[in-house]
């Protein structure tokens, strides 16, 4: 299978590329700069989609980049890096004389309103309620194919939670303070913490790329890319402390995160959603790391 991956050189993209190559698939990465096995976004805009069986978009500015202050410029980059790249790929798929059989867009669980009680599945209704949920709305709308194209190409949306892995994502910034014994709960600690190991997210994407029998639906198939274990931030904090054999006695107050990250961004850490991978499990996907203990042991290397 020939797979085109937008943003394939990032944290999740590297994991997905490695997995697909191990299965014998041919990968072309779309990035800002061309190179071996790569093409640029400008190439796709001007020359169209290269011949492929599947397309994936993972592109987007890192929302938790600690080096960037939360301001209008950064928010604009968050939107444009996701919405514009998704539009470029969707338009290229629609214009292709030989469109791919599958088109996978990876967005996020920020569409679901944080709540301690409500449990969300892929079938849950939602409407935008803040900046990040509006981002998901625009992002997913940008990937929607016209009806005539949707009859040829299966559309898939995957909504991951916090992506955990050794070489990037949320863990990269957490490990140092935890190693130093300075780790602790964020805010109240009672907030749900939807998460997924990067290997499982790559596995869900690869699973979604496999050809399905029958004509595709004109509406996207949605899969929640989260672990089946429902955990809180407190449970995650204690599990990471146990795995590292370090104390976790320094809670981080919510107001500090609001000041340091910006309140619109801090909600990712101080609030959370109970998200269940109902359709993901029904599709037959099997998680390698369904619980925090197995995931954290692999990441930390114990």
């Amino acid at each position: 299978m020939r797979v085109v991956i937008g943003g394939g050189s990032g944290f999740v993209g590297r994991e997905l590329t490695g997995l697909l190559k191990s299965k014998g698939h041919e990968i072309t990465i779309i990035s800002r700069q061309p190179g071996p096995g790569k093409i640029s976004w400008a190439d796709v805009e001007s020359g169209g989609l290269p011949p492929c069986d599947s397309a994936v978009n993972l592109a987007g500015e890192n929302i938790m980049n600690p080096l960037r202050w939360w301001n209008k410029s950064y928010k604009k980059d968050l939107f444009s890096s996701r919405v514009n790249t998704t539009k470029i790929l969707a338009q290229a798929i629609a214009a292709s004389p030989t469109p791919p059989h599958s088109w996978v867009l990876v967005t996020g669980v920020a569409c679901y309103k944080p709540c301690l009680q409500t449990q969300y599945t892929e079938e849950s209704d939602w409407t935008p309620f803040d900046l990040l949920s509006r981002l998901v709305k625009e992002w997913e709308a940008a990937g929607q194919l016209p009806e005539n194209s949707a009859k040829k190409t299966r559309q898939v949306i995957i909504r991951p939670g916090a992506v955990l892995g050794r070489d990037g994502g949320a863990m990269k910034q957490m490990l140092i303070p935890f190693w130093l014994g300075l780790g602790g709960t964020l805010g109240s600690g009672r907030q749900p913490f939807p998460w997924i190991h990067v290997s499982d997210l790559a596995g869900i994407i690869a699973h979604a790329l496999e050809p399905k029998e029958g004509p595709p639906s004109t509406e996207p198939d949605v899969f929640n890319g989260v672990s089946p274990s429902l955990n809180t931030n407190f449970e995650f904090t204690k599990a990471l402390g146990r795995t590292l054999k370090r104390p976790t006695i320094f809670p981080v107050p919510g107001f500090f995160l609001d000041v340091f990250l910006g309140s619109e961004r801090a909600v990712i850490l101080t609030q959370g959603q109970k998200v269940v991978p109902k359709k993901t499990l029904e599709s037959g996907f099997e998680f390698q790391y369904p619980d925090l203990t197995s995931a954290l042991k692999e990441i930390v290397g114990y």
Side-chain angles (χ1 to χ4, degrees):
M1 184 164 62
R2 296 165 300 175
V3 185
V4 170
I5 305 175
S9 54
F11 171 48
V12 177
R14 294 192 301 271
E15 186 76 18
L16 177 62
T17 297
L19 174 62
L20 293 176
K21 282 185 174 179
S22 73
K23 294 175 180 287
H25 301 310
E26 181 184 321
I27 310 300
T28 300
I29 290 171
I30 312 174
S31 67
R32 278 171 274 195
Q33 300 296 328
K38 296 181 180 179
I39 56 175
S40 71
W41 289 101
D43 292 335
V44 178
E45 278 193 285
S46 60
L49 195 69
C52 63
D53 303 294
S54 301
V56 181
N57 196 23
L58 297 165
E61 172 76 27
N62 178 9
I63 200 165
M64 298 304 290
N65 185 346
L67 303 179
R68 293 205 58 179
W69 194 247
W70 190 253
N71 54 29
K72 283 185 179 179
S73 171
Y74 186 31
K75 292 181 214 179
K76 184 180 177 184
D77 287 349
L78 290 177
F79 273 73
S80 62
S81 62
R82 288 163 170 78
V83 175
N84 293 354
T85 57
T86 299
K87 278 182 181 175
I88 289 170
L89 265 174
Q91 289 168 358
I93 291 168
S96 174
T98 55
H101 62 67
S102 56
W103 158 223
V104 177
L105 176 61
V106 181
T107 61
V109 296
C111 57
Y112 305 124
K113 194 168 186 176
C115 183
L116 295 178
Q117 290 81 34
T118 305
Q119 194 164 287
Y120 296 100
T121 71
E122 294 88 345
E123 293 151 349
S124 299
D125 292 327
W126 65 278
T127 53
F129 56 91
D130 67 356
L131 180 85
L132 298 180
S133 58
R134 288 196 298 275
L135 170 56
V136 176
K137 188 76 171 177
E138 287 188 33
W139 196 358
E140 294 186 357
Q144 181 75 46
L145 297 177
E147 189 174 342
N148 62 325
S149 298
K151 290 177 181 177
K152 305 170 190 172
T153 301
R154 177 177 177 242
Q155 303 176 88
V156 178
I157 291 171
I158 297 172
R159 296 175 182 151
V163 184
L164 307 182
R166 194 176 301 177
D167 301 318
M171 292 299 299
K172 198 170 185 180
Q173 294 162 31
M174 290 183 198
L175 280 177
I176 292 175
F178 271 83
W179 267 118
L180 296 173
L182 302 175
T185 54
L186 303 178
S188 71
R190 294 187 302 119
Q191 68 272 27
F193 181 69
W195 63 274
I196 187 167
H197 190 287
V198 66
S199 296
D200 281 326
L201 179 55
I204 293 170
I205 298 169
H207 187 64
L209 293 177
E210 295 172 7
K212 299 292 185 288
E213 292 182 8
S217 166
T218 55
E219 290 299 314
D221 292 328
V222 178
F223 298 103
N224 286 332
V226 294
S227 156
S229 63
L230 293 169
N231 297 111
T232 63
N233 174 263
F234 176 84
E235 290 167 343
F236 168 77
T237 301
K238 295 306 174 186
L240 182 54
R242 281 195 304 272
T243 305
L244 292 171
K245 298 180 174 62
R246 294 292 189 275
T248 53
I249 56 175
F250 293 97
V252 182
F255 73 83
F256 174 81
L257 293 167
D258 287 345
V259 171
F260 181 66
L261 296 173
S263 58
E264 290 174 311
R265 178 165 53 164
V267 296
I268 297 171
L269 302 177
T270 59
Q271 301 180 31
Q273 312 90 334
K274 284 186 177 179
V275 185
V276 179
K278 180 174 180 284
K279 286 183 67 178
T280 306
L281 291 168
E282 289 173 354
S283 74
F285 179 76
E286 295 183 9
F287 285 82
Q288 275 185 271
Y289 304 101
D291 56 78
L292 279 171
T293 301
S294 60
L296 293 174
K297 280 184 177 177
E298 191 284 329
I299 292 165
V300 174
Y302 279 60

